[in-house]
Amino acid sequence: MHKILVIEDDPLVMDNVIDILELEDYDVLSAVNGLEGVQRALEHAPDVILCDVMMPLMNGYEVLRALRADEQTATTPFIFLTAKADRSDQRHGMELGANDYLTKPFTPRELLQAVTTRLQQQTAVAQKYQAQIQDISQKAQQQLYQDAITGLPNRLTLGDRFADAVTDYRQEPESNRLLCLASLRIDRFSSLQHDLGYGTTDQLLHAFAQRLKTRFSGHSIAQISDAEFVIIFKPLAHKKEVTTAIQAFQADLNRPFLIAQQRIFLAISAGLTLYPRDGRALRELLQHAQTAIAQVEKQGGNGCEFYSAILSVGKAPRLYLEAELREAIAQQQLHVQYQPKINLKTQKIESCEALVRWHHPKQGLVSPGRFLPLAEEVGLIDSIGEYVLAVAGQQMRQWQQEFGQPLQVAVNVSSRQFNRVDLRQRVLQILVESGLAPECLELELTESTLVSDFTVAKRRLEAFRHLGIKIAIDDFGTGYSSLQYLQQFEFDTLKIDRCFVQNIHQNKGNAAITQATIEMAHRLGLTVVAEGVENQAELEWLQTHHCDFMQGYYFSPPVNGSEFATLLTSSAMAPLKR
Ligand code: C2E
Ligand code: CA
Ligand code: CA
């Protein structure tokens, strides 16, 4: 019920007004002079005040001034009741902040009309304020819990979501379900930000977040820094579901972002952790995810890796692994496998890639992705790299003599190895010892190896090329500035990364990029090798589009020396001719 305060010294007028208002169910308060009126107004906070002008003790203007000065009544609708029809008086009242003027005598209708109009206005104003307040608090809430650029939940929200996920997980009846947390970091983000400027980067981040939301809808996503995102997956049955989802997202990123008329490619490195296997606290899981990301980044980024305690930077496991690895080198647990590269024109094995393997006495075959990052970090990569070079060099020379073919071998060179001043010396020594011709040796480098010091890298590369040694750019397309590298360095071979080759016959984006890459490489005089060819359809697409070489499981996985020799002798090109 609305409260109306009537301030009027004339009892007749007062009674009349009270009657009219009470009939309409208003709650009416009265005051017989100005002073009492102010008191009652402050005490009862009425919804509307009706006030006479000419009164003893305090006139209507003084009442109004007093009420407007008080916070509580500053905006209460105020209507003057007066016998005076003088226009200048009316204006005086309005200037002081009155909302309306009723001239006595007024009809009940005029009075009620004036009151309802004011009440309606008051409600509208209140609603508007209410909406504004809600809006402001919502925005504050958003700022507190969301990233300002992408609108994704932030670290604060992540904590809540994680707690919810753990609660749900604990209630899951099936004990064999997995709760997985993935951390995704945009590769080379700071140099990207530097090159593009902040405005464009913001747009890019926004667009990136959209793709992330689309791909991982249904799971919990949060952004914990500019370039770092976390996904808490719904409980899953297999680890594979996570890697498949991440790889699908990595494939989404093969489609460039079009921002400010630029085509920008992004790649991400992902670290995956499992609750509670890798930790029970969010902080712990995030830390482990970082460790896994660091491993991926060391291999050039654009990949994903589950955290494994063996990779931990925590002293004990790493030291242990390091000791084991040293022993592995000493005890010759490291082996070299060879993966054939087929010339698509001659359909012959003309080359191969040497890939290192660790036959761990207890763990079995340990993949290079697991031990090379550590080897790189602690310097063991130098001896591993030299070992692979020496073994592969000798092996090639032997096969060349045995089969009378000019077989070529490609050896991966890590960043650290490439930056060694004596690398050229060591390579030369190996060539001399094995008797392998320099043009039969190719060094595979990734873009990340070349980024640290452009001038030095360029000089080193040229020095190798002057010796006749070939240089390949590996995992091409996974770094955002790849095109730039092609023009600045002189390479002999370009290896298109597996992520582009996958489903190339169906993925229009990948097909367009690869076709353009092949054309451009050819124009620059480079030989193109497609990595990771897994089926006939991919192979046919590559043949149609004039790719020079293929390497992949479809023809053969990496195999040991004797198996490779068998491949060389048999007419094992069968799959290509199917
Ligand atoms: P990479 O240089 O890109 O080598 C190609 C990787 O793709 C190999 O993995 C190979 O087994 C795999 N691969 C080949 N064909 C297919 C296919 O059709 N499908 C799929 N899914 N994969 C295929 P691998 O042997 O595990 O090596 C991983 C990485 O470790 C290599 O990537 C390379 O960067 C590094 N690496 C291996 N050996 C050496 C080495 O002797 N020295 C150095 N510095 N790095 C090495
Ligand atoms: Ca390689
Ligand atoms: Ca590669």
Side-chain angles (χ1 to χ4, degrees):
M1 206 200 273
H2 288 112
K3 251 188 269 174
I4 314 236
L5 171 62
V6 186
I7 310 169
E8 171 65 77
D9 65 327
D10 182 335
L12 274 180
V13 179
M14 174 67 99
D15 285 349
N16 185 24
V17 171
I18 291 178
D19 284 348
I20 297 170
L21 293 176
E22 282 186 343
L23 263 177
E24 291 299 315
D25 257 0
Y26 288 112
D27 180 7
V28 187
L29 308 162
S30 59
V32 294
N33 61 53
L35 200 58
E36 193 189 333
V38 172
Q39 268 175 353
R40 305 216 78 182
L42 294 177
E43 208 176 291
H44 296 280
D47 298 301
V48 174
I49 298 168
L50 299 168
C51 183
D52 187 20
V53 176
M54 304 299 289
M55 287 181 298
L57 289 180
M58 207 178 186
N59 70 28
Y61 301 135
E62 287 162 339
V63 170
L64 179 58
R65 202 176 283 131
L67 292 181
R68 288 296 180 246
D70 194 287
E71 206 184 325
Q72 202 192 321
T73 49
T75 57
T76 311
F78 194 98
I79 302 170
F80 273 123
L81 308 172
T82 177
K84 275 194 158 190
D86 190 327
R87 287 198 165 270
S88 72
D89 277 355
Q90 287 191 4
R91 205 170 55 241
H92 184 42
M94 291 304 196
E95 276 163 12
L96 286 173
N99 301 91
D100 206 350
Y101 239 96
L102 273 175
T103 313
K104 296 176 211 169
F106 41 78
T107 63
R109 206 167 152 262
E110 283 170 333
L111 174 69
L112 291 172
Q113 181 72 52
V115 170
T116 39
T117 308
R118 288 309 131 200
L119 281 173
Q120 278 164 359
Q121 270 182 3
Q122 192 70 354
T123 313
V125 169
Q127 276 170 352
K128 201 175 123 195
Y129 277 130
Q130 196 67 30
Q132 277 176 354
I133 289 168
Q134 246 174 9
D135 202 37
I136 291 167
S137 74
Q138 203 178 338
K139 276 189 187 133
Q141 198 76 357
Q142 274 175 4
Q143 274 167 5
L144 195 59
Y145 291 106
Q146 286 186 357
D147 183 86
I149 294 163
T150 61
L152 283 173
N154 63 13
R155 204 181 261 271
L156 268 181
T157 321
L158 179 66
D160 293 345
R161 300 266 168 96
F162 176 71
D164 293 346
V166 168
T167 311
D168 290 351
Y169 176 75
R170 289 215 184 107
Q171 284 162 358
E172 281 275 326
E174 292 167 68
S175 54
N176 61 346
R177 302 228 107 193
L178 302 168
L179 179 58
C180 177
L181 179 144
S183 215
L184 272 55
R185 191 187 292 154
I186 299 177
D187 291 343
R188 301 178 192 78
F189 183 74
S190 37
S191 55
L192 193 70
Q193 199 167 39
H194 176 261
D195 292 353
L196 296 175
Y198 283 89
T200 309
T201 310
D202 286 355
Q203 289 180 44
L204 183 62
L205 277 176
H206 186 80
F208 175 85
Q210 289 310 114
R211 283 198 200 172
L212 197 67
K213 284 184 218 169
T214 312
R215 173 55 66 187
F216 297 105
S217 67
H219 305 286
S220 249
I221 312 174
Q223 182 171 8
I224 58 170
S225 76
D226 271 0
E228 213 169 321
F229 304 81
V230 171
I231 299 158
I232 302 174
F233 284 89
K234 288 260 163 62
L236 308 152
H238 298 288
K239 278 159 93 178
K240 185 102 182 70
E241 290 172 51
V242 177
T243 39
T244 308
I246 301 273
Q247 280 160 1
F249 182 59
Q250 284 172 324
D252 292 344
L253 294 179
N254 291 337
R255 200 159 35 86
F257 291 90
L258 256 179
I259 310 279
Q261 284 158 348
Q262 294 183 72
R263 282 156 46 90
I264 303 166
F265 287 95
L266 288 184
I268 52 132
S269 296
L272 314 175
T273 52
L274 292 174
Y275 171 93
R277 187 195 77 176
D278 300 330
R280 290 184 175 271
L282 175 61
R283 189 175 32 84
E284 208 182 341
L285 291 173
L286 287 176
Q287 223 163 33
H288 289 335
Q290 293 299 323
T291 307
I293 289 183
Q295 302 306 322
V296 176
E297 285 178 342
K298 273 185 202 143
Q299 294 166 65
N302 190 36
C304 78
E305 181 101 57
F306 266 96
Y307 168 75
S308 144
I310 208 170
L311 293 178
S312 172
V313 268
K315 293 261 171 342
R318 208 191 72 163
L319 277 180
Y320 185 59
L321 178 69
E322 188 185 331
E324 281 196 319
L325 192 53
R326 286 186 194 280
E327 207 174 280
I329 297 169
Q331 303 197 338
Q332 304 193 323
Q333 288 166 11
L334 296 186
H335 299 276
V336 182
Q337 288 194 335
Y338 304 90
Q339 188 173 31
K341 290 195 235 172
I342 320 295
N343 182 327
L344 290 177
K345 281 215 188 72
T346 63
Q347 309 229 326
K348 286 206 166 74
I349 302 175
E350 291 186 2
S351 178
C352 62
E353 177 173 0
L355 293 155
V356 69
R357 299 288 177 260
W358 179 4
H359 291 281
H360 191 284
K362 287 199 200 92
Q363 293 188 33
L365 196 70
V366 182
S367 79
R370 281 185 61 199
F371 66 90
L372 287 183
L374 174 74
E376 170 105 15
E377 202 177 307
V378 300
L380 286 173
I381 192 75
D382 294 339
S383 31
I384 295 176
E386 267 180 38
Y387 170 77
V388 174
L389 259 170
V391 172
Q394 273 162 16
Q395 183 67 82
M396 272 332 102
R397 186 70 196 118
Q398 189 195 323
W399 283 335
Q400 284 177 353
Q401 287 169 330
E402 212 169 301
F403 300 104
Q405 286 174 21
L407 204 57
Q408 194 197 49
V409 65
V411 178
N412 293 285
V413 174
S414 79
S415 269
R416 183 179 172 127
Q417 223 185 332
F418 182 70
N419 289 318
R420 272 184 70 128
V421 207
D422 61 351
L423 178 67
R424 189 156 158 253
Q425 195 68 33
R426 299 293 303 132
V427 170
L428 263 178
Q429 195 183 338
I430 285 164
L431 289 178
V432 170
E433 279 167 10
S434 64
L436 189 72
E439 52 274 14
C440 293
L441 177 65
E442 184 161 68
L443 303 180
E444 291 195 3
L445 304 169
T446 59
E447 203 185 288
S448 57
T449 303
L450 304 170
V451 290
S452 54
D453 188 335
F454 176 82
T455 333
V456 173
K458 202 172 156 71
R459 207 175 49 229
R460 292 236 163 97
L461 277 193
E462 271 157 22
F464 280 114
R465 292 190 82 238
H466 283 148
L467 290 175
I469 293 167
K470 303 269 188 283
I471 305 287
I473 176 96
D474 203 357
D475 305 337
F476 187 80
T478 57
Y480 85 98
S481 52
S482 300
L483 285 178
Q484 205 179 317
Y485 281 84
L486 270 197
Q487 281 155 358
Q488 287 168 347
F489 293 99
E490 286 188 27
F491 300 113
D492 301 278
T493 306
L494 179 154
K495 296 189 80 175
I496 297 175
D497 192 75
R498 189 173 88 222
C499 70
F500 289 97
V501 175
Q502 220 168 32
N503 277 326
I504 194 155
H505 52 292
Q506 279 164 348
N507 185 326
K508 290 210 177 79
N510 278 358
I513 293 166
T514 306
Q515 190 173 354
T517 306
I518 294 175
E519 280 167 17
M520 186 181 54
H522 282 166
R523 225 172 290 148
L524 294 167
L526 274 72
T527 301
V528 181
V529 180
E531 292 188 299
V533 180
E534 290 185 352
N535 56 51
Q536 178 70 21
E538 290 167 354
L539 174 66
E540 274 169 14
W541 189 98
L542 292 161
Q543 276 178 313
T544 315
H545 293 85
H546 311 293
C547 180
D548 304 301
F549 280 79
M550 72 79 97
Q551 177 184 347
Y553 293 171
Y554 185 54
F555 181 71
S556 168
V559 292
N560 64 29
S562 61
E563 288 168 310
F564 192 85
T566 313
L567 284 179
L568 279 177
T569 43
S570 65
S571 53
M573 302 301 140
L576 296 188
K577 289 184 178 152
R578 236 184 270 165

